[in-house]
Amino acid sequence: MDLHELEAIAERELAQRPRLRILYCSATGCQASGALEIKRRLEGLLAEMGRQVEIDVGAVGCLGLCGRGPIVRIEPSGETFEHVKPDDAAEIVAAFDGHACHVARCDQDHPFFTRQLLVVRRHCGLINPDRIEDYIAVGGYRSLYHVIHEMTPAEVIQAITRSGLRGRGGAGYPTGLKWATVAKSPGERKFVICNADEGDPGAFMDRSILESDPHLVLEGMAIAAYAVGAEQGFIYVRGEYPLAIERLQKAIAQARRHGLLGAQIFESGFNFRVDIRVGAGAFVCGEETALIASIEGRRGQPRPRPPYPAESGLWGMPTLINNVETFANVTAIIENGPEWYSSIGTEKSKGTKIFALTGKIRNTGLIEVPMGITLREIVEEMGGGTPDGTPVKAVQTGGPSGGCIPASLFHTPVDYESLAAVGSIMGSGGMVVMDEHTNMVDVARFYMEFCKDESCGKCIPCRVGTVQLLNMLTKLRNGQAHASDLVKIEELCELMRETSLCGLGQSAPNPVLSTLHYFRHEYEELIGAEGDHGS
């Protein structure tokens, strides 16, 4: 495979594509809602009319407005239908001949769409994730060719560093610095790992990327491997993501067949192989050292750091670990330049971020927004507030490791530093909206129960602390707590923060501490007369 062959595939694909296309969302949510039956109905109707050559029915990835699925879009007009049912297929097809169509349409002028800035999700809803030709037709693998033939590994790392890209897995570590550390670390072999072990309740950003645009992640991994000197990559993905796994397997096989993965990529001396490792659903394996242990065939438990994986990771070799969204940003940086990317966002938080907007919100789904947008703009404008107009009470960011931010602080910009300043974190991108009927003690208890169940048990502060915190929150919820128990809860939270081995235990108290800080009256209201007397 060379650049001319790549261009020929793109030209052939575009030339053969029908002018009229009916695109249906084939992501997990829409499939579960009946998208495949809608596809069959559409294809059957077009075949009866003899128009299956003139009008193509194509699968695409997530269109974003997940709560309104199944979604069908018409190209080139861009007209998009929501809540589509199989019986609506006839009206959609008839509309091509000018007949009335009463199927509900998405408002493309709504802030949910207009306020987004698509970088990672720029191909979602446009290409068929099962066809490498679709990805090549929109410029796929050109960045990898450019990197291999026109840039040195050091220049690639410099570009990523200048872009200001930070890890999208939650901690926000500078990506270029991590790549540079792996590149200069001595080792017989080096590895690149994509962390797709997305486990936050309510989060599905990485799953959507893998289901919608798997080649984007593979190309980003290959560029990273070239930069750091690795020839082997692994994608560690949750077993609960069968469609993502299936599409990754297909994408890897297609890339190998076209010579875009494997040996002598683009007729160069660069070799890169990617394999999939399926996780068993342990939340702790999102922590990089636990993830490495799992790939090695050991129990997924973290180890003390240093040494960090960048110096001693998989099988003791230098290992680069980034999450799905981080790798998915790479091609856009190479294609448009680091200065373009660094012009998006804030001074310290560059680029865009994908969020899964869920909970008591009118417009549930995936949004990609520039860093620095405020919580109010996301929740009230893009999300449309609560479905029944009830006032929004809080938003929880960062999953079990994050905090609950009250509506009074919705002027807070969404960036790493600003969210940390109000007691939360960016996390991988979960954003759960709560209305005034939500009890914040119940929220804290839910996340603590999750962390208790997911603790690997290796260190005492996390193993015992999560159990004791859950017990105290349950006691509080049952009206059996004393006023002094609030002090004990805070003390135990601080102990876990300071002494737990890994990020799971260190951050597990965040939902408790943030709700205690902003909604303390809800805790105090649960201390009944019996509790007061006992104190």
Side-chain angles (χ1 to χ4, degrees), residues 184-250:
K184 69 182 181 183
S185 297
E188 294 179 10
R189 299 180 67 192
K190 295 181 180 180
F191 298 97
V192 170
I193 297 177
C194 175
N195 183 351
D197 192 59
E198 182 177 54
D200 291 3
F204 52 99
M205 302 76 57
D206 291 350
R207 187 195 75 193
S208 176
I209 295 169
L210 295 175
E211 290 179 355
S212 304
D213 203 358
H215 287 283
L216 183 69
V217 180
L218 294 178
E219 186 175 6
M221 289 179 68
I223 291 171
Y226 172 80
V228 304
E231 294 191 351
Q232 173 70 58
F234 292 98
I235 302 177
Y236 188 89
V237 60
R238 298 180 73 79
E240 295 93 334
Y241 287 178
L243 183 60
I245 294 170
E246 176 188 330
R247 288 181 174 169
L248 276 172
Q249 290 171 333
K250 188 173 295 185

Side-chain angles (χ1 to χ4, degrees), residues 62 83 99 308 361-362:
C62 178
H83 295 306
H99 297 285
Y308 291 91
I361 193 74
R362 188 182 303 275

Side-chain angles (χ1 to χ4, degrees), residues 21 43 89 197 306 353:
R21 306 177 74 202
E43 289 177 332
D197 192 59
K353 181 73 188 78

